[in-house]
Amino acid sequence: MSVRDMLDEPRIVDTHAHQPTAEFLEDAGGEMMRDAARKFGTEIETWEYETMREEYHEQGIARAVLLGWDAETNTGNPPVPNDYVAEVRDEFPDFFVGFGSVDPLKDDCVEEAVRCVEDLGLSGFKFQQIAQGFDPSDEAHRDLFDTIEDLGVPVVFHGGNSTLGAGAPGGRGLKIKYGNPMLVDDVAAEHPEMPILIAHPAFPWEREQLAICQQKGNVYMDLSGWLPKYVDEQVVHYAKTVLQDKVMFGTDYPMIRPERWFESFDEVFDASDAVQRKILWENAESFLGL
Ligand SMILES: [Zn+2]
């Protein structure tokens, strides 16, 4: 029996969810999202937040971090606006934790970061360095990260390769080097008060990611974006042992749905109940201050 079956009420926290609506999948995603769908042989479908919440509650998930998206300068696609993320959060305040997104290539990114926290009450930030086309270790972004550290909120950075633009000539111009977690190590070293979550097993740089999570007290990782059966064995081993206080559950909804993720987790993880509780909700509760 898994710890999920023992829950009287939903308790699990999904640290990584996108909108199952056109705002993310069609508008912000554009052609690069259609490439990803083609690659996996799926159609892009959209549905309502109420449906998402019901699906999550059935799976024992109480909360989901809903991520903003602004890669407008690099991709030309419109953002999932921060005001929209805050609106959706306000409709489901017990369910969603809202994370904003600022485009580091825009002149007003520092002001927008402040507005996200102080005016919109968003709980953190998400960066997708490949889609946004920037190197987080570049001095040019120092002011933005200093400001976010002062705001006292956590930050999610993308980790590893991306399926966006997959198979298209030139990958639609997206550069996967920006997904190397070693670039985030610089940010973590220079901003020790900033809690950082490197999203996804960072293929093909999982070992670098594990090393950073071990060495930097302020760096964590999640298991989103991959079914557990495809996750590198060393990541699974570390998640059960030395990094059991650092690794968190995440889906990358709606690309991966919780039921499928949990099925695969049960097949390959064989972790103790105590470790499962840490991965599924305890680590996220303390990282997010829930
Ligand atoms: Zn994602």
Side-chain angles (χ1 to χ4, degrees), residues 16-18 24 67 69 126 128 158 199-200 224-225 251-253 255:
H16 195 112
H18 298 280
F24 173 68
L67 304 167
W69 184 276
K126 159 75 190 300
Q128 214 297 7
H158 177 85
H200 323 303
S224 67
T251 56
D252 212 4
Y253 195 86
M255 283 73 78

Side-chain angles (χ1 to χ4, degrees), residues 232-281:
D232 183 272
E233 267 176 40
Q234 196 167 9
V235 173
V236 174
H237 176 67
Y238 272 57
K240 291 192 287 193
T241 57
V242 287
L243 289 182
Q244 61 180 265
D245 297 311
K246 288 287 192 88
V247 178
M248 304 176 212
F249 160 68
T251 56
D252 212 4
Y253 195 86
M255 283 73 78
I256 293 183
R257 314 277 289 260
E259 188 175 10
R260 271 188 82 204
W261 195 94
F262 288 138
E263 266 172 28
S264 183
F265 182 68
D266 291 341
E267 278 166 29
V268 299
F269 246 80
D270 75 351
S272 69
D273 288 358
V275 166
Q276 285 191 47
R277 279 193 290 270
K278 287 181 184 189
I279 293 175
L280 295 178
W281 64 83

Side-chain angles (χ1 to χ4, degrees), residues 11-18 52-53 56-57 61-67 89 92-99 249 251 253 258 288 290:
R11 178 81 190 263
I12 299 166
V13 180
D14 182 351
T15 59
H16 195 112
H18 298 280
M52 175 181 180
R53 180 170 62 169
Y56 270 55
H57 280 183
I61 306 173
R63 317 279 305 238
V65 175
L66 187 69
L67 304 167
R89 186 265 331 263
F92 301 94
D94 301 326
F95 177 49
F96 285 126
V97 176
F99 268 42
F249 160 68
T251 56
Y253 195 86
L288 296 166
L290 298 175

